[in-house]
Amino acid sequence: MVHREIEMLRVRANEIRKDIIRMLGRAGSGHPGGSLSAADIVAALYFKVLRIDPQNPRRPDRDRFILSKGHAAPVLYAALAQRGFFPREELDTLRRLGSRLQGHPDMKKLPGVEMSTGSLGQGLSVANGVALAGKLDGLDYRVYVLLGDGEIQEGQVWEAAMAAAHYKLDNLTAFLDHNRMQIDGPIEKVMSPEPVPDKWRAFGWDVQVIDGHDMAGILRALEKAGSVKGKPQMIVAETVKGKGVSFMENQVGWHGVAPKPGEVERALAELGDRGPVEGEG
Amino acid sequence: MAGKTATREAYGKALAELGKLNGRVVVLDADLSKSTKTADFAGVFPDRFFNMGIAEQNMIGTAAGLASAGKIPFASTFAVFAAGRAFEQIRNSVAYAGLNVKIAATHAGVTVGEDGGSHQSVEDIALMRSLPSMTVFVPADEAETFGAVRAAAEMEGPVYIRLGRAGVPPVHGDGFRFVPGKAVVLREGRDAAVIAAGIMVSAALEAASVLAGEGIECRVLSMHTVKPLDVEAVVAAARETGALVTAEEHSVIGGLGGAVCEAVCGNFPVPVKRVGLPDVFGESGKPEELLEKFGLTPSGIAAAVREAIKMKAGVKG
Ligand SMILES: Cc1ncc(C[n+]2csc(CCOP(=O)(O)OP(=O)(O)O)c2C)c(N)n1
């Protein structure tokens, strides 16, 4: 049963990747690299872990996922649409005038979006606030947040890291999409945040390092994180920017450029042909 | 004159009272709770008070998260650090996100005194007023502060409350009721109108008494809500007096003066003289000395009224 479930989640991640490519192709602009690198994590959350109800997206006791690296909006939109928060056809409206699918997630417009993000470095603070409120209200929801490894160059992230540990927010799990790239190049060249796991540990977090494309590993890490008491948890996910589309993988140039029609076809053929994306490990 | 109370003192009391009435209210501070007076609330409701340390950006983001989960957070620090340091967090995580966060910023303006220009916010009204959906309250006394705090908690959406360090006398009588967005006419007059906010309201009333001695009848308005501005009251003052003076403990750029000019130029253009800091930073000194230096005084306001009336005559003539 577990094996079948993992297989189902891999297929789901692949479907999310295909939607990312399609919607970016139609929009003509947007961010494929960091959307694709996060697809397996997001698939695990939305199709296995999060306690959410698309019919009742504002239930007070729902789990929350905050996409702090808001430029990866397509991965969130694909998951929300496939999970039933809005019609999948609406993905075609990405970045168009009047669309609920803004270039970066807008919680005022689209059901299922827990926080308006896009300005990097702000999501963890918000996640802290939601986690604090859960503790105050005695609700057992969990808060998940996804950060970019370039994003953590922002000072606010470390203010928030300190505060989450200070307030013992064990209902908070963060993922770091450790794809080692940002806009201007490799993070180690632009401004190294390494060693990343040590830094989070030093800030008082429970830290795991996993292969961010290995579905079984992602699920194991989430389960382990859920049993940690008294500490927020960081799951450093080793990922590949552009994962799943050969010509985008590890290419800085695919951070914020949409695929052209021919490229869309090639990407979809790769994703379609290969079926579910296999884990690295 | 009745005793003076700083609006930050009133804020502390109002917040502690609000805490009893509304269990959704939570308070955040950034290591200044004794100065901002949120310590009053913390003393009564320790479980609903969060000291975030010297980390204003994270404080605002955390407040946004608390608001998204149904709390009514009041986040406090000095105005320079609230509106300044955390501006972009207020913009994106609060206002753009449409979240119900109340930012109560103390130590606004030059009456901070000896700490000097680094600590004297003279631009926060301009910054906060420029954000879509932000309500901006600048209370003049204890009663307006109580009203602003209560109104902020009752309304949905982001609110900025600007508070001061120095004591101010009451400007309202017993029957006063704070209505958000409604200016209060404190004194009638047809020769000119002074539109003031914060500590400058009591100064404006003094100026009006002095001017009355010269035969000049001056209307005085307390514009406790700088945004949304009571355009009706501003236009009525322009129409009925023909000469306006604004008075605020803030730069003449972008604050109440800017807001009033914007309102009259598109509706009923009349001369407007702005009393405020003339595009400079503050400096160390005693609060009274600084107010004197920058003309934020009854005589400074009176002089501006005389000039505005001359301009009105010039326009007519
Ligand atoms: C505060 C802020 N500064 C700059 C940007 C522009 N920007 C968008 S994405 C990005 C790089 C993000 O890198 P990373 O966090 O590693 O994300 P990923 O590589 O996973 O896409 C930058 C600088 C922004 N959105 N917000």
Side-chain angles (χ1 to χ4, degrees):
Chain A
M1 178 223 66
V2 175
H3 185 76
R4 264 197 58 206
E5 193 163 41
I6 288 169
E7 201 50 34
M8 179 279 283
L9 288 169
R10 285 189 186 140
V11 173
R12 186 53 75 178
N14 201 51
E15 285 303 302
I16 287 175
R17 286 192 165 89
K18 288 198 234 171
D19 272 348
I20 291 169
I21 295 297
R22 280 190 210 106
M23 79 177 100
L24 285 170
R26 287 212 183 83
S29 69
H31 300 83
S35 300
L36 292 168
S37 64
D40 303 290
I41 295 163
V42 170
L45 287 170
Y46 276 90
F47 289 89
K48 167 75 178 161
V49 176
L50 292 179
R51 185 176 69 195
I52 44 174
D53 177 4
Q55 303 313 313
N56 192 357
R58 296 240 148 247
R59 264 179 73 140
D61 66 346
R62 71 195 183 278
D63 288 340
R64 272 77 162 180
F65 171 69
I66 292 172
L67 181 67
S68 190
K69 42 170 270 186
H71 58 280
V75 72
L76 175 63
Y77 295 158
L80 289 174
Q82 292 185 28
R83 191 72 173 73
F85 282 87
F86 58 88
R88 212 162 157 183
E89 301 84 72
E90 205 170 332
L91 295 175
D92 291 349
T93 68
L94 174 69
R95 291 177 163 249
R96 297 243 184 93
L97 185 65
S99 173
R100 297 195 289 178
L101 280 63
Q102 292 287 297
H104 294 80
D106 184 340
M107 67 187 292
K108 299 194 302 300
K109 294 199 156 77
L110 194 64
V113 172
E114 292 290 356
M115 181 62 198
S116 300
T117 52
S119 174
L120 293 169
Q122 302 194 20
L124 185 57
S125 301
V126 177
N128 285 352
V130 180
L132 269 179
K135 297 232 171 226
L136 274 179
D137 291 339
L139 295 173
D140 67 348
Y141 62 74
R142 296 191 60 80
V143 185
Y144 300 88
V145 58
L146 177 67
L147 303 163
D149 54 4
E151 178 180 17
I152 64 170
Q153 291 157 353
E154 285 285 359
Q156 187 187 347
V157 172
W158 300 101
E159 296 180 3
M162 188 164 30
H166 179 83
Y167 282 108
K168 302 185 170 52
L169 300 179
D170 50 14
N171 52 349
L172 172 71
T173 304
F175 277 96
L176 185 75
D177 188 352
H178 202 205
N179 58 34
R180 296 174 191 268
M181 300 211 170
Q182 54 191 114
I183 293 184
D184 281 347
I187 56 168
E188 299 227 36
K189 278 218 174 123
V190 176
M191 178 53 66
S192 175
E194 305 296 346
V196 161
D198 291 351
K199 286 204 168 80
W200 289 90
R201 250 178 233 121
F203 272 77
W205 287 55
D206 177 84
V207 178
Q208 302 180 63
V209 181
I210 65 163
D211 174 350
H213 302 305
D214 170 15
M215 192 55 77
I218 294 171
L219 295 180
R220 268 197 311 276
L222 279 165
E223 200 171 314
K224 195 158 160 253
S227 65
V228 171
K229 292 276 166 274
K231 280 181 176 191
Q233 312 91 43
M234 166 55 78
I235 301 175
V236 177
E238 299 295 344
T239 57
V240 172
K241 200 154 173 175
K243 177 70 180 174
V245 177
S246 61
F247 58 91
M248 290 183 176
E249 287 189 0
N250 282 318
Q251 298 299 315
V252 156
W254 282 104
H255 170 83
V257 177
K260 300 200 173 56
E263 293 164 335
V264 169
E265 266 155 47
R266 271 169 63 205
L268 288 177
E270 278 189 23
L271 291 165
D273 286 351
R274 193 164 47 184
V277 174
E278 298 299 333
E280 294 277 286
Chain B
M1 188 166 291
K4 291 184 173 187
T5 308
T7 49
R8 64 171 167 148
E9 303 274 358
Y11 169 59
K13 283 195 245 168
L15 202 54
E17 190 175 285
L18 182 66
K20 286 182 210 134
L21 302 173
N22 193 330
R24 288 167 65 206
V25 170
V26 296
V27 176
L28 302 92
D29 204 299
D31 197 34
L32 286 170
S33 64
K34 293 190 187 76
S35 300
T36 62
K37 303 297 170 191
T38 60
D40 296 358
F41 182 96
V44 196
F45 305 104
D47 296 344
R48 284 151 61 192
F49 174 79
F50 302 101
N51 202 323
M52 302 311 293
I54 313 159
E56 296 77 13
Q57 305 171 74
N58 181 53
M59 173 173 75
I60 295 298
T62 305
L66 284 158
S68 87
K71 301 295 174 199
I72 305 174
F74 279 72
S76 283
T77 179
F78 292 175
V80 169
F81 313 131
R85 174 69 63 100
F87 174 77
E88 206 248 343
Q89 284 71 20
I90 296 173
R91 184 200 187 275
N92 274 318
S93 287
V94 175
Y96 181 72
L99 289 168
N100 195 26
V101 173
K102 319 302 169 183
I103 298 141
T106 67
H107 294 64
V110 295
T111 45
V112 165
E114 291 80 352
D115 273 354
S118 60
H119 282 55
Q120 296 166 356
S121 176
V122 296
E123 64 286 325
D124 55 312
I125 299 178
L127 287 168
M128 292 297 107
R129 192 170 79 77
S130 68
L131 292 175
S133 81
M134 182 65 75
T135 294
V136 179
F137 292 140
V138 185
D141 67 358
E142 183 168 13
E144 285 193 4
T145 305
F146 266 78
V149 169
R150 190 70 65 85
E154 281 166 7
M155 65 176 44
E156 186 66 31
V159 177
Y160 181 78
I161 308 178
R162 185 186 211 238
L163 303 160
R165 171 171 185 253
V168 279
V171 298
H172 294 287
D174 284 343
F176 171 67
R177 208 167 66 82
F178 182 95
V179 182
K182 280 274 162 246
V184 189
V185 178
L186 292 171
R187 183 181 175 121
E188 261 309 343
R190 291 269 162 172
D191 297 322
V194 181
I195 302 174
I199 63 162
M200 296 308 287
V201 175
S202 62
L205 287 170
E206 277 187 53
S209 315
V210 171
L211 289 164
E214 302 169 16
I216 297 173
E217 286 306 329
C218 206
R219 182 178 301 183
V220 176
L221 288 92
S222 174
M223 193 60 80
H224 53 62
T225 309
V226 174
K227 188 185 176 186
L229 188 74
D230 188 346
V231 175
E232 214 176 293
V234 170
V235 171
R239 197 188 301 277
E240 290 158 22
T241 72
L244 301 184
V245 170
T246 61
E248 64 195 311
E249 192 191 1
H250 185 274
S251 170
V252 292
I253 298 175
L256 173 65
V260 166
C261 288
E262 289 158 20
V264 294
C265 76
N267 290 293
F268 197 87
V270 296
V272 181
K273 281 291 188 188
R274 288 166 297 153
V275 174
L277 270 87
D279 195 19
V280 294
F281 291 113
E283 63 186 75
S284 288
K286 292 199 176 69
E288 319 81 68
E289 291 172 336
L290 291 163
L291 292 173
E292 194 62 46
K293 169 166 179 157
F294 294 114
L296 305 177
T297 54
S299 63
I301 295 172
V305 168
R306 290 185 205 103
E307 279 180 50
I309 290 173
K310 261 189 229 150
M311 284 174 73
K312 164 167 80 166
V315 169
K316 271 184 182 163

